[in-house]
Amino acid sequence: MTTIRQRRGGKVTEAAEHQPSEEKNVKSDGKVLSDHTGGKLRNILSLTLGGIVAIGLGLLTSVYVATLHENDLWFSNIKEVEREISFRTECGLYYSYYKQMIQAASIQQGLHALVYDNKTESVRTINILERMNVYQEVFLSILYRILPIQQYLEPVYFYIYTLFGLQAVYVIALYVTSWLLSGTWLSGLLAACWYITNRIDTTRVEFTIPLRENWALPFFAVQIAAITYLLRTHLQPAQERLTLLAVFIATFLFSLTWQFNQFMMLIQALALFIPDCFDMLPTAKVTWLYIIQISGLLLVCVLQFFNSMILGSLLISFNASVLIARAIQKNLKKGNLLNRLGKLILHVLLVLSLTLLVNKFIKKSLNLESDEHIFKFLKAKFGFGATRDFDANLYLCEEAFGLLPLNTFSRLSDTLLFYIYIFSLFPMTVAALIVAFRNLSGSNQVQEKAEEYTIILKPDAAYNLIHTVLFGCLALSTMRMKYLWTSHMCVFASFGLCSTEVWRLILKCVHLYTSQRTQVIKYSIPIITLLYISYKFWPGIMDELSELREFYDPDTVELMNWIKSNTPNTAVFAGSMQLLAGVKLCTGRTLTNHPHYEDKHLRERTKQIYQIYAKRSPEDVYRILRSFGTDYVILEDSICYERRHSRGCRLRDLLDIANGHIMDGLGENEPDLKPSLYPRFCEEIKKNLPSYTLHFTRVFQNKTFHVYKLAKHK
């Protein structure tokens, strides 16, 4: 107040002279304030509207897949045994532990039965929580027991609705990732629409509900969204810490819910390592991400009672090696082009060598062999020598572990997804190469030439580019892993189509660039694409939702009902892995083997049990089955007379090769294979010859299954 009075009293003339200027400044400041307020309001409205659209699309996706599941099976109308049979193969095994926890007298007794389980593998007590990723079933069963919903919702619906609900999380995470990359929620809308219209190639949740990937992939998508946000520049320290916490939680949940977590995160670690080597990512943040991966995996290891397969994972060895190598080579990102290239090559060789040495040391120290079948499979798959290993060939002959079929690309092209993905991938790859060369060389000329490319390769875009390329290579080589790629493909393609930087670069190349033209194209092309997708695929989606089918598998239902009614609760059953998972779920009987294949002892046991489909004597088969405490053996005509696979890939062929016997049918055999002294067991036992009836008595049969009871000789 004193100052103002002095100015007004002492310098009236000066004040009068400056009055117009002050009025002008006030008007100018008011306009800036108004613009700032208006911009802030627009941002809030955009965030609100974009958030509402994201949540709405997520919920619609959940309802969509739940409706498809109901329409396909008439799930609400079929019997409980039919519902359980619909959880086929390993899905049934996982769901059985949820059911077991629900039916336990108490939570404590249910947990004790899982930790000291003697019904999943006969004559052997195993820790289910250590061997399998079933904490989600445990958590969900406890939640169901403590919530007051038992009288309103059956346990099976609580289970499947949770998984369908996770699809909402998945779609929202994809939406947010694309939004973060492009700066517009229109990109997220397009990514979500592509995910839904390409459902056949982006998810299989509606018919393989309990599969581990359906639990894990939503958390993986959340993790990618959090990493994308973390790699943005100018984050406040508090924002950075919160984002790192989000990355850690998502990484931990992803690792906890899927046994293949370590292999997926190894590829993700490579997606961080490659751009970091070329100085495209902030090193400090990448270091934190390496540490988070290791920490998340080690925490899962503790929860899984120090699961040896986790300790011996390549991911832990690789990340530790990167951190060690970085500590040794402190001036890695300094020097001229040749100096940097030399250091980089040395760094890569050092990291790879350390990874192999550390991993070999850990496995040797802990005597780990849990994942050896995967490396045998990979070695044979990529042409490093044929193998007669039964387990490796079992994977090689499965379509899911083969190359990605070409018709996948035609389906993805129908929605324009694949075309736009390539359209987005090409300029960004070129930009990445130029930026990488510029960063290595440090040349001013290259700097000037690459300046226009730099803006479209911000750290978050660089990470997502390498991520999509590496997971694309994985999907091309192994069809089952396509779901990791196709969902991210939706994100990347929508980002490319809605990116100001991509359109600016393209328009500059054809000398048509203006700021207004870029903005018009950035919004008009995605909207036209959305209209095309809606016009072409909305009728098909409506037809799909109106198509009604019903679950029908009378032979399996008859088998399960017979087992429950005619065998003691303590009976031990042998048979195929896939069928026995259903036997455990539907009847609670003890198994000799099951589909969770990540254990060397179980793999050897399964190969022995499968001698029922090989050319072995009845005495040999009886001795093998009794060594595992078997009371009943189930033979399936669909395996004994299999036609689904070609010669050389039928289960009976794999067994013949492993046993050194020539295969059935016309065709070549390797020269050292010899004819068996005995006929095929599963065929010969049906003739009721004395040598077979001495050990086996048929007690049940229908068009698909034959059940034999084993004699109990002294």
Side-chain angles (χ1 to χ4, degrees):
M1 292 295 291
T2 307
T3 309
I4 292 172
R5 285 174 183 171
Q6 285 175 348
R7 286 186 62 189
R8 286 180 178 177
K11 297 186 179 180
V12 177
T13 308
E14 189 178 45
E17 288 174 1
H18 284 281
Q19 188 66 30
S21 178
E22 286 177 6
E23 283 181 1
K24 185 178 178 182
N25 287 340
V26 168
K27 287 178 183 177
S28 176
D29 290 346
K31 187 179 179 183
V32 170
L33 184 63
S34 175
D35 288 347
H36 177 72
T37 305
K40 201 170 183 181
L41 185 61
R42 281 196 300 272
N43 286 339
I44 292 170
L45 287 173
S46 178
L47 281 170
T48 304
L49 183 58
I52 291 169
V53 172
I55 293 168
L57 281 170
L59 293 174
L60 279 173
T61 305
S62 295
V63 173
Y64 176 49
V65 293
T67 305
L68 289 177
H69 175 257
E70 170 64 24
N71 290 356
D72 193 46
L73 300 177
W74 203 6
F75 200 75
S76 61
N77 194 65
I78 58 179
K79 299 174 184 176
E80 184 181 4
V81 66
E82 293 174 312
R83 289 177 180 175
E84 292 177 346
I85 290 169
S86 71
F87 298 136
R88 296 186 183 277
T89 65
E90 61 184 291
C91 297
L93 182 69
Y94 298 131
Y95 182 77
S96 72
Y97 299 117
Y98 170 76
K99 179 182 176 182
Q100 183 177 320
M101 283 290 295
I102 292 287
Q103 293 179 345
S106 67
I107 293 172
Q108 291 77 9
Q109 288 185 22
L111 290 171
H112 185 272
L114 290 179
V115 174
Y116 300 97
D117 180 277
N118 53 17
K119 294 183 74 69
T120 303
E121 294 177 19
S122 58
V123 301
R124 190 183 183 199
T125 299
I126 62 172
N127 184 342
I128 298 299
L129 296 180
E130 176 195 356
R131 284 271 297 279
M132 304 181 198
N133 298 71
V134 294
Y135 268 102
Q136 50 267 50
E137 276 76 21
V138 172
F139 172 75
L140 216 58
S141 63
I142 294 172
L143 201 60
Y144 182 80
R145 293 178 71 122
I146 62 177
L147 292 176
I149 58 173
Q150 288 88 341
Q151 57 184 338
Y152 309 110
L153 196 64
E154 295 176 59
V156 67
Y157 280 108
F158 184 65
Y159 186 89
I160 66 173
Y161 286 165
T162 299
L163 272 153
F164 292 146
L166 276 176
Q167 283 294 298
V169 176
Y170 198 0
V171 169
I172 291 169
L174 298 176
Y175 182 107
V176 169
T177 305
S178 188
W179 187 356
L180 288 170
L181 286 167
S182 65
T184 170
W185 59 261
L186 181 63
S187 174
L189 174 61
L190 186 55
C193 289
W194 265 328
Y195 177 85
I196 295 167
T197 52
N198 291 283
R199 176 184 54 80
I200 293 172
D201 295 299
T202 55
T203 183
R204 48 179 174 168
V205 67
E206 75 276 10
F207 61 91
T208 60
I209 299 173
L211 209 60
R212 302 300 83 180
E213 67 190 48
N214 295 330
W215 284 99
L217 292 185
F219 299 122
F220 192 52
V222 170
Q223 186 224 39
I224 294 168
I227 290 174
T228 301
Y229 184 75
L230 177 71
L231 293 175
R232 302 181 90 182
T233 54
H234 309 305
L235 284 185
Q236 297 296 323
Q239 291 176 313
E240 195 169 307
R241 285 193 292 271
L242 285 172
T243 308
L244 284 169
L245 178 62
V247 173
F248 173 77
I249 292 170
T251 302
F252 166 69
L253 291 174
F254 170 68
S255 303
L256 190 66
T257 51
W258 198 13
Q259 69 267 31
F260 292 141
N261 55 63
Q262 53 178 292
F263 304 105
M264 302 308 106
M265 287 202 296
L266 176 63
I267 294 172
Q268 186 181 57
L270 288 170
L272 293 166
F273 177 73
I274 293 169
D276 183 43
C277 284
F278 294 101
D279 210 15
M280 296 179 187
L281 303 181
T283 301
K285 291 180 180 180
V286 173
T287 302
W288 272 112
L289 291 173
Y290 287 142
I291 293 169
I292 283 172
Q293 282 190 331
I294 294 174
S295 303
L297 210 55
L298 289 178
L299 182 55
V300 171
C301 181
V302 172
L303 286 175
Q304 289 192 274
F305 297 81
F306 298 94
N307 185 315
S308 59
M309 189 173 173
I310 295 175
L311 292 173
S313 67
L314 274 173
L315 174 72
I316 289 177
S317 302
F318 177 79
N319 285 9
S321 300
V322 172
L323 297 174
I324 293 168
R326 188 178 285 170
I328 295 170
Q329 292 179 289
K330 292 184 179 179
N331 296 320
L332 183 64
K333 296 180 180 180
K334 292 181 181 179
N336 57 30
L337 179 61
L338 290 176
N339 195 355
R340 287 283 302 274
L341 276 175
K343 288 180 180 178
L344 183 59
I345 292 168
L346 184 62
H347 181 67
V348 172
L349 291 174
L350 181 60
V351 168
L352 293 178
S353 302
L354 275 173
T355 300
L356 294 175
L357 286 171
V358 170
N359 192 252
K360 192 167 185 179
F361 173 76
I362 292 172
K363 287 188 172 179
K364 202 79 173 174
S365 302
L366 300 176
N367 194 26
L368 302 182
E369 297 176 310
S370 300
D371 56 358
E372 63 175 1
H373 64 299
I374 296 174
F375 294 106
K376 286 179 182 176
F377 157 71
L378 291 173
K379 184 179 175 182
K381 182 179 178 67
F382 294 111
F384 295 104
T387 180
R388 289 187 181 176
D389 183 77
F390 175 76
D391 304 314
N393 284 329
L394 205 59
Y395 279 103
L396 285 168
C397 287
E398 280 300 317
E399 185 182 3
F401 291 94
L403 299 175
L404 188 67
L406 292 177
N407 60 11
T408 306
F409 299 106
S410 63
R411 287 195 302 272
L412 295 172
S413 300
D414 286 343
T415 62
L416 303 181
L417 173 60
F418 185 66
Y419 296 133
I420 294 173
Y421 176 74
I422 296 299
F423 165 81
S424 305
L425 191 64
F426 178 73
M428 293 199 68
T429 303
V430 172
L433 293 172
I434 293 173
V435 170
F437 180 69
R438 181 207 65 186
N439 290 348
L440 285 178
S441 65
S443 165
N444 289 331
Q445 291 181 350
V446 179
Q447 175 85 25
E448 291 170 7
K449 188 177 180 181
E451 190 172 340
E452 61 181 320
Y453 294 93
T454 307
I455 193 167
I456 69 163
L457 207 72
K458 293 176 284 190
D460 53 356
Y463 162 71
N464 278 278
L465 170 65
I466 306 300
H467 179 104
T468 198
V469 169
L470 292 182
F471 278 92
C473 294
L474 178 66
L476 291 171
S477 66
T478 308
M479 187 186 79
R480 185 177 176 180
M481 299 304 168
K482 72 175 179 178
Y483 303 102
L484 287 151
W485 183 44
T486 49
S487 58
H488 194 266
M489 187 189 287
C490 300
V491 169
F492 198 82
S494 59
F495 153 56
L497 204 61
C498 298
S499 170
T500 302
E501 291 82 4
V502 169
W503 285 115
R504 182 188 297 149
L505 175 62
I506 291 170
L507 290 174
K508 280 184 176 179
C509 288
V510 294
H511 306 291
L512 292 173
Y513 171 72
T514 65
S515 178
Q516 294 82 359
R517 189 173 288 152
T518 303
Q519 291 301 311
V520 169
I521 292 174
K522 171 185 173 179
Y523 290 106
S524 60
I525 298 295
I527 290 171
I528 292 168
T529 305
L530 280 168
L531 291 173
Y532 168 79
I533 293 171
S534 302
Y535 173 77
K536 185 170 182 180
F537 294 97
W538 183 257
I541 290 173
M542 290 297 101
D543 289 342
E544 191 178 33
L545 288 172
S546 63
E547 189 176 350
L548 303 177
R549 290 182 290 269
E550 183 179 356
F551 177 85
Y552 185 74
D553 189 355
D555 290 349
T556 307
V557 170
E558 185 185 10
L559 172 66
M560 298 304 171
N561 286 334
W562 180 86
I563 291 173
K564 284 194 286 187
S565 303
N566 296 278
T567 64
N569 292 334
T570 56
V572 178
F573 278 80
S576 69
M577 297 183 289
Q578 296 82 358
L579 179 63
L580 289 184
V583 169
K584 184 180 187 309
L585 171 57
C586 297
T587 71
R589 301 304 187 263
T590 304
L591 314 180
T592 55
N593 54 307
H594 54 82
H596 194 273
Y597 221 49
E598 278 66 54
D599 179 74
K600 185 181 181 183
H601 178 88
L602 177 66
R603 292 195 295 272
E604 292 172 349
R605 175 186 281 230
T606 298
K607 181 181 174 183
Q608 289 299 306
I609 296 294
Y610 275 7
Q611 297 304 311
I612 58 179
Y613 297 109
K615 298 171 183 175
R616 299 290 292 267
S617 69
E619 293 78 16
D620 283 349
V621 174
Y622 176 80
R623 176 182 49 77
I624 291 168
L625 293 176
R626 286 303 297 164
S627 70
F628 299 118
T630 308
D631 298 311
Y632 298 87
V633 58
I634 307 172
L635 296 171
E636 300 170 63
D637 286 346
S638 58
I639 298 177
C640 190
Y641 307 108
E642 182 185 357
R643 295 179 181 178
R644 184 169 68 94
H645 290 106
S646 59
R647 184 176 183 271
C649 265
R650 300 168 298 190
L651 179 61
R652 61 179 186 267
D653 297 335
L654 302 184
L655 289 163
D656 289 342
I657 293 169
N659 293 338
H661 300 151
I662 60 171
M663 295 180 286
D664 294 337
L666 299 174
E668 295 183 0
N669 288 283
E670 293 185 29
D672 60 329
L673 296 179
K674 294 181 171 51
S676 174
L677 298 174
Y678 303 98
R680 195 166 303 282
F681 178 84
C682 63
E683 295 176 359
E684 201 70 8
I685 193 174
K686 295 170 187 173
K687 298 177 182 178
N688 291 323
L689 299 174
S691 57
Y692 288 83
T693 55
L694 177 65
H695 305 293
F696 303 94
T697 304
R698 184 160 56 199
V699 290
F700 172 86
Q701 81 173 100
N702 59 23
K703 290 184 292 183
T704 306
F705 305 105
H706 303 262
V707 181
Y708 291 86
K709 184 175 182 179
L710 276 68
K712 294 190 177 180
H713 302 310
K714 291 184 180 179

